[in-house]
Structures are given as structure tokens and as C-alpha cells.
Amino acid sequence: MFAVIKTGGKQYKVAADDVLSVEKLNAEAGDTITFDEVLMVGAEGDVTIGSPLVDGASVVAELVEQKRDKKIVVFKKKRRQNYRRKNGHRQHLSVVRITDILTGGAKPKATKKAAPKKEAAKAEAPAAKADAQDDLKLISGVGPALEKKLHAAGVTSLKQVAEFTKEDIERIDAELNFKGRIEREDWIGQAKDMLAGK
């Protein structure tokens, strides 16, 4: 089955699963587009020609990507006038994949759209924020070098620091030669405050 559609002032002969470039459409990749200007529909020798459009016919497509065509050079010259102008132009195009040709007023099947980028970013933001908050370098006096040493000693999060026991403090002091630094700088209190969002 094939159809002839009109979009962007041009006509295209299309069939299911065809991929073609048309004049730019206002949509995003993954969106479903319906072309209602169908000039002709044909299937196995049976051809219907519109006057000018075929009643109840439409073509459904999926927008694959937005792109720009190859550059063309626009060069103007007037001889003996020392007049030369050179410009380039790249036309904006939309690449679409034809998914269905509908007749008799049939409507396209509902498709589940992907979550918008903004909503996906919002969903990722809390996780990234949580990772940023659970950073040992937030403790006063802990830099990248000391953080590596703490990781090597098995301390990787503020939650672990907040739950330090007396035995843990003595072990870390002995391994890293802190000489009472954890208690002196109140690492446990700092970690608890940060986990509480203070």
C-alpha cells in the first residue's frame, strides 16, 4: 500500500517503513506525526485519487530526528563592477519513518510517549543531590588526599562517620595516625549535622 502526501509545499510518495526527509516539523524526536493532506492512496491496483484530498485518509509517521541538510553555496557576481557575494545555507529538515497508512477515517493507535527530558532530569536530581551530600570532604579538614586514606580504611560515607563507636575511632586513629583528631574536630557531630541537612 502506498500514498502520496503533501507537506512543506512538496509531495512525497510513501509506503509503510519508509524513511524520508521533509521540511522541518515542529515536534521532537520520538513524537508521532499525522499527515492529513493525502492526495492519493493505492493498493494492489486499486487507486483512489483525491479532489484534491482523499476523504478519511491519513498517514502516520514517527519523527526520527531533526537535522540540517548539506551546505549549499550561494554566490553572486556582477562583472566589471567588483561585486562578489558568497553565502552558505543549510536547510533544516525532519527525518520521519512512516508507520501506517490509514483510510476510511481510521485513527492512529495510541503510543506511549517517552518521559520528557525535564521530568527525567528532575527524577535524577534528588539522587545526584544525595550523592553530593554524602561526601566525606564536607567534614572540616578532610580533603581529597585524606578522603582516599579513609576509603582505604573502609570509611566511605558520612553515615559511617556518624555511627563511629569508640573502637572505630581508636582503630582509625591507629591506622592513620590521627592522634585524637576525630574527637578534637568533632567529626561525628559534623557528620550528623550534614545528614540532618544542617
Side-chain angles (χ1 to χ4, degrees):
M1 190 173 189
F2 72 91
V4 176
I5 62 172
K6 182 180 178 182
T7 177
K10 301 175 184 177
Q11 297 177 11
Y12 302 88
K13 182 181 177 182
V14 299
D17 298 324
D18 281 357
V19 176
L20 63 149
S21 297
V22 299
E23 295 296 316
K24 186 179 180 183
L25 302 167
N26 292 324
E28 295 182 0
D31 287 354
T32 299
I33 299 161
T34 303
F35 297 104
D36 295 319
E37 292 188 88
V38 181
L39 307 176
M40 180 190 294
V41 175
E44 300 176 359
D46 182 18
V47 177
T48 304
I49 300 173
S51 55
L53 305 178
V54 179
D55 290 336
S58 61
V59 174
V60 183
E62 178 189 356
L63 184 63
V64 178
E65 65 171 335
Q66 301 279 19
K67 70 171 189 176
R68 296 174 75 191
D69 204 358
K70 291 181 180 178
K71 181 183 283 187
I72 62 169
V73 175
V74 182
F75 186 75
K76 298 178 183 179
K77 177 184 176 181
K78 294 181 181 178
R79 64 180 184 168
R80 296 192 296 271
Q81 302 297 323
N82 193 27
Y83 177 90
R84 290 178 178 82
R85 298 291 183 270
K86 183 177 180 182
N87 289 307
H89 174 74
R90 295 187 68 187
Q91 186 73 2
H92 290 275
L93 300 174
S94 297
V95 180
V96 297
R97 179 184 292 107
I98 305 300
T99 56
D100 205 358
I101 297 174
L102 305 173
T103 55
K107 294 184 179 179
K109 296 176 184 176
T111 56
K112 189 176 180 182
K113 291 178 68 175
K117 292 179 183 178
K118 289 183 180 177
E119 289 183 12
K122 284 180 184 178
E124 291 172 4
K129 191 175 180 182
D131 290 341
Q133 286 178 346
D134 198 6
D135 186 354
L136 292 176
K137 292 192 294 295
L138 294 173
I139 296 174
S140 178
V142 178
L146 187 52
E147 184 186 37
K148 285 182 182 179
K149 291 180 182 179
L150 288 167
H151 284 179
V155 181
T156 58
S157 67
L158 291 173
K159 187 178 179 182
Q160 285 177 279
V161 175
E163 294 173 353
F164 270 176
T165 62
K166 194 172 183 180
E167 291 76 15
D168 292 329
I169 294 170
E170 290 175 358
R171 178 177 63 83
I172 299 297
D173 273 348
E175 285 184 23
L176 303 180
N177 195 24
F178 275 174
K179 300 176 183 177
R181 179 176 181 176
I182 295 173
E183 293 176 323
R184 187 170 62 252
E185 296 181 359
D186 191 22
W187 281 19
I188 296 173
Q190 288 187 56
K192 286 179 179 177
D193 287 346
M194 287 168 193
L195 289 172
K198 294 181 182 179

